[in-house]
Structure formats: structure tokens, C-alpha cells
Amino acid sequence: MAATLCGNLLPKPGWLPLIQSVRHGSKAVTRHRKPVHILKQKLLAVTQYVPPPRGPPPGAYPSQRKQAQKESGFVILLKKEVKKVFQDNKMIAVVQNNNSSFEDMLILKHRLHRHGIFVKFFPNQVMRSFLSDSIYSNMAPLFIGSTVLFVSKVPKVKEMLSTLRASPQMILLGACIDNTLLSTQGIVSYSKLPSLTVVQGELVSGLTMMISHTASMLQHHPAHLSALLQQYIKQQSPDDGTQASPNGETTK
């Protein structure tokens, strides 16, 4: 039975199958995409459109006008006090308070009060709001953290520096002296300058010396000319200042 089936399934000699696979002689696809030149790649990368970042939707943040309108009456009062401080005082120093105790602050106030220097406390938000619209806007970066103001109507830099040496927890950040913003090194250099009275005395003495020297120079030529004229007159006189006596002798 098995031999009969195998004989029926196996192809007989001279028999061709009904379906034959015919392979056509088509060429293989050998074309590939040409690589882009390096200069063109750079040009495409540079000229590629980069969309701008999306900003916040309108109304997400309140405008500055609304914030200015929301200032309380207490903040407005503090800004007026700050403005008065800058108008009435010629020295305004910004000092950072590094965890100073209440007793140390009282002692520091007492020492500064002896020299006519007063301590003022204002919130940093109020100070920045005032400085942003004033000529002292460059002082705004100094108000970071816990800050204190040392103010005086007359610049007393030497006294302030000598007092701060006894309080290491108080660090001087900068100051505005005579409408001039100074750094810490600038304040130290300013303290080494002579006082106004000494400078005025040196100026007056220098001007007096110059005036006296000028006056002597102006008087020198007329005096010399007068002496020459007197000598010329004596030489041109007929008797040359001598008189003849009756005995024939000449006497002066």
C-alpha cells in the first residue's frame, strides 16, 4: 500500500510539473541616497527654524500696575520715611546683621549715638521699591537678607568704622556719602582723608602764599625802575650833588 502511494506521488521520468518558478533577468536595486555635503548640513542646521518658547498665558501673572495699586498705607508711610532719611542725611551706610543679639544691638546703638550716628530698620521690599524709582537705584543689590542702615547728617566714617570693629557680627556692605556710592574699600579710603577744616586751612595758606608771591613779583619791576631813574637823574645833574666853597674847595 505504501509502495503504491509513493509510486503515485513521485514524478515519473519525462513528466513536468504544472507550475514552474521562472526567474526573470531584472537587475538588483543598487541606487542609494547620496549623502548631503557637510557644508550643506551646517547651513541647514543654522537656518533651521527654532520656535520661540511659549510664554505664560495672559493674566497668569499680575501686572506691576496692579501691584503698585495694592500697596498698603503702611508701606507708603515707610517709603516716605526712607525718602526723608535720604534727604536729611549725608552718610547712609548699609550693614548686614549676622544674627546679632538684642543686647549687642543696644550697645552698638549707644556707641553710635555718641557720634551722632543713628540706626534705622526698614524692610528690604520697601527699600527696593523706593530705590527703583530714585537716583540711588544702584544701592538696591545691597539689600539682601537682614540689613540695617547707619545714618548721620554729617559724614563720620572714622567713628563708624571704629565702632564696627567691636561688633564682628555686623558687616559693612557699602554706603552713600555725599550722593556718592562707595564700596567697603572706598569707605576705608574715604576715612583716611583729612578733615574738611584741615583741607580748608591748607587751601587758604597755599592761596595766601601764591598771592604774596604774585604781589612781590608785581612790585619788583616798578621798584627796580624807580631806582634806575633816580640814579639816572643824579648822573644827569650839573653839579652831581657837590657845591664849591669860597676857598675853592668842593664840598658835598
Side-chain angles (χ1 to χ4, degrees):
M1 185 69 181
T4 304
L5 291 174
C6 291
N8 294 331
L9 293 175
L10 290 176
K12 297 180 180 179
W15 177 76
L16 296 176
L18 297 178
I19 300 173
Q20 294 181 358
S21 61
V22 180
R23 184 176 181 180
H24 299 281
S26 61
K27 297 181 179 180
V29 179
T30 58
R31 296 181 61 186
H32 298 284
R33 190 172 182 179
K34 187 177 180 180
V36 183
H37 196 269
I38 183 64
L39 295 178
K40 188 175 181 180
Q41 293 181 10
K42 292 180 179 180
L43 182 62
L44 292 175
V46 172
T47 58
Q48 186 180 4
Y49 173 73
V50 179
R54 295 183 59 184
Y61 297 99
S63 61
Q64 295 181 355
R65 295 181 179 178
K66 293 182 179 180
Q67 290 180 357
Q69 293 176 357
K70 291 181 180 179
E71 288 184 351
S72 61
F74 181 67
V75 174
I76 296 174
L77 180 62
L78 289 178
K79 290 175 68 174
K80 290 181 179 180
E81 291 185 5
V82 173
K83 184 177 180 180
K84 186 178 180 181
V85 166
F86 276 84
Q87 290 178 351
D88 298 342
N89 299 278
K90 293 185 178 181
M91 186 188 76
I92 303 170
V94 184
V95 183
Q96 187 177 10
N97 182 11
N98 292 329
N99 197 15
S100 179
S101 63
F102 181 74
E103 296 179 357
D104 295 338
M105 185 59 66
L106 285 178
I107 295 172
L108 181 62
K109 285 183 179 180
H110 180 68
R111 291 176 178 175
L112 292 173
H113 187 72
R114 293 178 182 176
H115 305 291
I117 305 174
F118 302 93
V119 181
K120 300 290 183 179
F121 298 91
F122 294 102
N124 292 339
Q125 183 179 0
V126 176
M127 293 299 302
R128 294 196 195 98
S129 178
F130 168 76
L131 294 173
S132 61
D133 300 330
S134 65
I135 60 175
Y136 310 101
S137 57
N138 292 332
M139 294 182 64
L142 299 178
F143 293 92
I144 299 176
S146 180
T147 55
V148 184
L149 293 182
F150 291 172
V151 300
S152 64
K153 294 183 178 181
V154 181
K156 295 184 178 181
V157 181
K158 292 182 180 179
E159 294 81 355
M160 181 184 66
L161 292 177
S162 61
T163 306
L164 285 176
R165 291 191 188 98
S167 301
Q169 68 274 14
M170 306 295 290
I171 300 176
L172 183 63
L173 300 179
C176 179
I177 302 175
D178 290 331
N179 294 330
T180 303
L181 183 62
L182 299 176
S183 62
T184 306
Q185 186 62 34
I187 296 171
V188 175
S189 301
Y190 184 89
S191 64
K192 296 178 182 179
L193 296 176
S195 62
L196 182 61
T197 306
V198 176
V199 175
Q200 289 177 350
E202 293 178 355
L203 178 61
V204 170
S205 62
L207 292 176
T208 305
M209 185 181 299
M210 293 176 64
I211 292 171
S212 62
H213 183 65
T214 304
S216 63
M217 289 180 63
L218 293 175
Q219 293 176 1
H220 174 71
H221 296 288
H224 185 62
L225 179 61
S226 177
L228 292 177
L229 290 174
Q230 290 179 2
Q231 184 68 23
Y232 179 75
I233 292 171
K234 290 180 181 180
Q235 292 177 359
Q236 295 297 325
S237 60
D239 53 357
D240 196 15
T242 60
Q243 294 180 357
S245 62
N247 298 331
E249 297 178 357
T250 58
T251 59
K252 292 184 178 181

